[in-house]
Amino acid sequence: MLDRTPPEGLPARPGVGYKARHYTSILADPAPVGWLEMHAENYMGDGGRPLAQLRHLAERFPVSVHGVGLSIGGEGRLDPEHLARLKHLCGWLHPASFSEHLAWSTHDSAFLNDLLPLPYTQATLARVADHVDEVQAVLGRRMLLENPSSYLSFAESTMSETDFLRALAQRTGCGLLLDVNNVFVSATNLGLDPRAYIADFPLEQVGEIHLGGHDEDADDAGRPLLIDSHGRAVADPVWALLDETLALSGPRPVLIEWDTDVPDWPVLAAEAARAAAALERVAA
Amino acid sequence: MTGQETFRAALLDPAQAVPDGLLDGHGGPAGRRFAVYRNNVAVALTEALESGFPTVRKLLGPQNFRGVAGLYLRAHPPASPVMMLYGGTFPAFIAGTPQLAHRGYLPDVARLDLALREAYHAADAQPVAPEVLAAIPARALEGIRITLAPALRLVRSRWPLHAIHRFNHEPGAPKPAPRAEDVLVTRPGFDPLPRLLPPGGGAALAALGDGRTLGAALEAGAAEDPAFDPAALLRLLAQDGCITGVETQE
């Protein structure tokens, strides 16, 4: 029997990834959006409009801080300066949730600004668990870790992604952020069954769900290769996968991510409304 | 080399082979799937430079800019995940790129783009009230030290930098005429503004920024240009809320 209450502080309603161009529209007419997610690294300046907007929005909405630069899967140690910046941000903002990615992006002091893949081995598990422990100790809170979108796999992997994430959550006590679009993208790209992935996912640890749009490409053999672009509406099969996920997990906070070719507010709000309808279908 | 070392090297250098041990999920090698990551990295860093250096991009044209950005991002990937800081060494990189030597003004244009971005993210500070400045007796003015707003950035140039910037962002702006122009980036509210400094203004502001007294700063201005107008400079500073503190000698 699953615990049907989400383990983190975000409401089980739709949220959107915040874009500055929507500032006025969100404040004027947020419905059906119940919370906002901010990329941590965009709010690490000393002042100016970004921080003023964030302060104002945080008075009106629960806020999720979503890091994209910590490189938690990196082979090197976590950047102590970046950890300190995250601690400072979470310290004054008191977000309802903090999340990061199962990925690496920094190596040898070069930040590559992408979420790069990891082999799923015991060695990776031990390293990532140490890093998650460190983050949770520094921030003084439980974090959520997000499943990646994959374009390839590693010959050296010895366990599935779901086993890896389950073990990580057990070892560190961290929660998980389930990106349903990433599941669909990875499963399509690697020839796996997305429904089996969801069925095997430790849903009781899921504090937040992500949805986003993907682009369609093809690999050398002409097989479909989906790209996690966040540049369009959520695809229909991903909405169907969300329904199946929510039927198993119960209501969860559901975020719409739209990061490139960002549309006008009504288009994004309509995506959030679709998520609201999905949540209503599983409401007790 | 470790896995991530190999991965990183191949990401930034398309001429390198795809690292071993990467699969396509269907029993074959990853092949061009690795190019998705290569492309993501190049696109993300190029876009950061495009949005960070809009005037340079306009001057070079989108295609040439992408070429220069591609050289830069491979030689100087970001040292921090805080991307709002990325490109701090781009002006110097442009200055050191022989293919761009015929565009001598370009490094200063890049410095101004960077200054505008830094000003946007700089700390907030309350300007001192006009009454505070007005209340300082004339005889004491020479000895005061001024605290400048954290958002201020001074870009000194031997090129018509302000006119070049204006020409590229303001429809109908006059064509830049050859002369040296110092630009002060101010931030009256949240939007940075490039302000043309009057002759000698750059030297005076540099002195103020070094913590010298107002008297010494105005002298530096006059020493640089006999036409230096202290009142014009002080009007500009007051108007844009550039003065956030005043320390009198007494």
Side-chain angles (χ1 to χ4, degrees):
Chain A
M1 178 76 190
L2 284 176
D3 174 7
R4 289 174 71 89
T5 55
E8 289 296 320
L10 292 167
R13 295 183 56 193
V16 293
Y18 173 66
K19 296 288 167 228
R21 59 174 293 189
H22 296 142
Y23 180 70
T24 311
S25 306
I26 286 177
L27 288 170
D29 183 19
V33 169
W35 55 280
L36 302 173
E37 186 157 282
M38 317 292 189
H39 284 183
E41 286 72 12
N42 292 344
Y43 300 91
M44 292 180 170
D46 293 326
R49 181 176 283 118
L51 291 183
Q53 287 191 344
L54 177 54
R55 277 193 297 270
H56 191 58
L57 289 166
E59 289 168 8
R60 300 277 305 272
F61 298 94
V63 165
S64 158
V65 169
H66 189 52
V68 296
L70 191 54
S71 195
I72 252 175
E75 284 171 359
R77 61 180 295 221
L78 294 178
D79 176 355
E81 286 177 31
H82 199 58
L83 262 180
R85 286 189 285 260
L86 286 170
K87 183 183 162 85
H88 175 72
L89 178 60
C90 291
W92 69 261
L93 185 61
H94 302 294
S97 174
F98 172 75
S99 52
E100 251 286 355
H101 298 84
L102 177 61
W104 64 280
S105 51
T106 297
H107 184 78
D108 199 15
S109 300
F111 173 68
L112 300 162
N113 204 15
D114 191 29
L115 300 166
L116 299 163
L118 292 164
Y120 299 133
T121 63
Q122 289 299 333
T124 308
L125 179 61
R127 186 176 78 233
V128 175
D130 282 350
H131 287 170
V132 169
D133 284 342
E134 187 181 353
V135 175
Q136 295 188 136
V138 169
L139 299 186
R141 64 184 302 154
R142 184 181 193 228
M143 67 173 294
L144 306 179
L145 202 69
E146 176 176 348
N147 60 299
S149 51
S150 299
Y151 308 111
L152 48 75
S153 61
F154 288 80
E156 62 182 297
S157 285
T158 55
M159 61 184 108
S160 69
E161 191 168 284
T162 43
D163 283 346
F164 187 94
L165 284 166
R166 180 183 296 104
L168 193 63
Q170 276 166 1
R171 271 165 88 147
T172 66
C174 77
L176 299 173
L177 194 170
L178 174 58
D179 189 317
V180 173
N181 180 60
N182 287 357
V183 171
F184 186 77
V185 165
S186 298
T188 304
N189 290 345
L190 301 178
L192 305 170
D193 176 4
R195 299 170 67 180
Y197 183 103
I198 296 290
D200 191 39
F201 201 85
L203 294 172
E204 67 282 2
Q205 304 297 343
V206 172
E208 180 182 341
I209 288 173
H210 272 186
L211 296 174
H214 59 252
D215 293 342
E216 294 178 19
D217 201 345
D219 74 356
D220 295 308
R223 282 181 298 248
L225 184 62
L226 303 184
I227 313 292
D228 180 32
S229 62
H230 295 184
R232 59 178 70 230
V234 178
D236 284 338
V238 176
W239 284 112
L241 196 56
L242 174 72
D243 283 336
E244 295 188 30
T245 305
L246 291 176
L248 294 171
S249 70
R252 286 290 189 274
V254 176
L255 182 90
I256 308 292
E257 293 184 295
W258 199 322
D259 295 320
T260 58
D261 295 326
V262 177
D264 290 340
W265 177 245
V267 176
L268 189 57
E271 290 282 279
R274 205 166 164 183
L279 283 166
E280 270 168 37
R281 287 193 286 274
V282 294
Chain B
M1 286 209 291
T2 66
Q4 290 180 2
E5 180 65 35
T6 312
F7 206 100
R8 184 193 83 150
L11 275 178
L12 290 176
D13 182 3
Q16 285 205 23
V18 173
D20 290 337
L22 302 179
L23 306 175
D24 67 355
H26 301 81
R32 69 170 284 226
R33 286 159 173 260
F34 187 74
V36 176
Y37 296 104
R38 264 183 184 145
N39 187 55
N40 282 351
V41 170
V43 167
L45 297 183
T46 300
E47 282 177 354
L49 293 168
E50 283 172 345
S51 65
F53 295 94
T55 322
V56 177
R57 180 170 185 252
K58 208 151 181 199
L59 284 162
L60 283 179
Q63 203 170 339
N64 285 339
F65 185 89
R66 274 197 293 276
V68 177
L71 295 174
Y72 176 72
L73 68 90
R74 285 174 176 86
H76 305 277
S80 156
V82 185
M83 287 299 290
M84 68 179 73
L85 305 173
Y86 184 46
T89 57
F90 193 52
F93 180 83
I94 291 174
T97 301
Q99 301 95 305
L100 298 174
H102 63 292
R103 296 175 181 263
Y105 50 85
L106 210 54
D108 284 354
V109 171
R111 282 182 194 105
L112 181 53
D113 277 342
L114 186 65
L116 288 160
R117 174 156 47 116
E118 288 175 354
Y120 184 74
H121 293 288
D124 308 314
Q126 193 63 34
V128 296
E131 306 87 77
V132 174
L133 295 174
I136 301 170
R139 62 184 155 71
L141 273 176
E142 276 216 342
I144 67 170
R145 283 173 216 276
I146 284 174
T147 308
L148 297 169
L152 288 199
R153 294 291 183 278
L154 173 63
V155 185
R156 310 199 62 187
S157 180
R158 59 193 183 87
W159 302 93
L161 181 58
H162 187 266
I164 292 171
H165 189 86
R166 206 176 146 204
F167 187 71
N168 282 282
H169 293 280
E170 206 180 293
K175 227 173 140 82
R179 64 168 188 165
E181 289 180 350
D182 292 339
V183 179
L184 180 68
V185 174
T186 67
R187 202 187 82 194
F190 287 137
D191 294 306
L193 295 173
R195 297 289 202 189
L196 174 63
L197 282 171
L205 261 169
L208 284 178
D210 288 344
R212 299 176 62 191
T213 63
L214 182 59
L218 298 183
E219 265 172 41
E224 185 174 80
D225 196 312
F228 176 60
D229 176 1
L233 179 67
L234 292 172
R235 258 198 315 278
L236 170 64
L237 294 183
Q239 174 198 325
D240 281 4
C242 305
I243 302 172
T244 56
V246 175
E247 193 188 315
T248 53
Q249 256 181 343
E250 289 91 315

